[in-house]
Amino acid sequence: MNKLFNKNSVKGSVLTGNTRKGFKFYATLVLCITFAMSFAVMSFAADDPIAVVNNFSTFMFGLIRAVGMILLGFGIVQVGLSLKSHDPSQRANGFLTVAGGIVITFAKEILNLIV
C-alpha cells in the first residue's frame, strides 16, 4: 500500500519550460475571449421608446419561460423517481414543482388572459 502513495513514484508535470508557458498563454487567451464573447449581447435599440420596452419585455419573458421549462423538467423527473421509490412526499413535491413550472412557463399567456 505504501508503494502506491510513495512520493517518488509520482512523476512531475508533462509540460515543462516553454511548453508550459505557451499552454498557460493559450488557456488564458481562450478564457478571456470566451468571457468577452459571453457579454456580447444583441442590443435591440430603436427610435421608439415603446419598441425598446416591448423588446425588453420579450427578452425577460423568454428568460422566465426558460426557467419554467427547467422547473417543469425537474418536476417530471422528481415525480418519476417518486413513483419508482414509492415515496408519497417526494411525489407531492414533484407535482407541485410541475405545477409551478407550468405556471412560470406560461406566465406571459396567463398575464395576457388577465389583461
Side-chain angles (χ1 to χ4, degrees), residues 29-39:
L29 183 69
V30 168
L31 286 175
C32 288
I33 290 173
T34 304
F35 187 69
M37 294 302 282
S38 66
F39 289 112

Side-chain angles (χ1 to χ4, degrees), residues 21-67:
K21 288 180 185 178
F23 179 74
K24 282 184 179 181
F25 177 75
Y26 173 74
T28 305
L29 183 69
V30 168
L31 286 175
C32 288
I33 290 173
T34 304
F35 187 69
M37 294 302 282
S38 66
F39 289 112
V41 180
M42 280 184 127
S43 175
F44 297 111
D47 294 334
D48 187 19
I50 300 298
V52 174
V53 172
N54 287 337
N55 287 337
F56 181 71
S57 173
T58 303
F59 175 71
M60 290 306 294
F61 277 115
L63 286 178
I64 291 170
R65 179 169 294 222
V67 170

Side-chain angles (χ1 to χ4, degrees), residues 68-86:
M69 293 293 242
I70 291 170
L71 281 175
L72 186 62
F74 178 71
I76 290 171
V77 169
Q78 202 171 15
V79 168
L81 290 174
S82 71
L83 291 173
K84 183 179 179 183
S85 66
H86 303 291

Side-chain angles (χ1 to χ4, degrees), residues 64 68 72 96-110:
I64 291 170
L72 186 62
L96 287 174
T97 306
V98 167
I102 290 172
V103 169
I104 292 172
T105 300
F106 297 109
K108 185 174 184 180
E109 288 78 12
I110 292 170

Side-chain angles (χ1 to χ4, degrees), residues 3-24:
K3 289 182 181 179
L4 291 176
F5 298 108
N6 190 359
K7 290 181 183 178
N8 295 332
S9 66
V10 178
K11 293 185 179 180
S13 176
V14 176
L15 301 176
T16 58
N18 288 335
T19 309
R20 176 182 288 242
K21 288 180 185 178
F23 179 74
K24 282 184 179 181

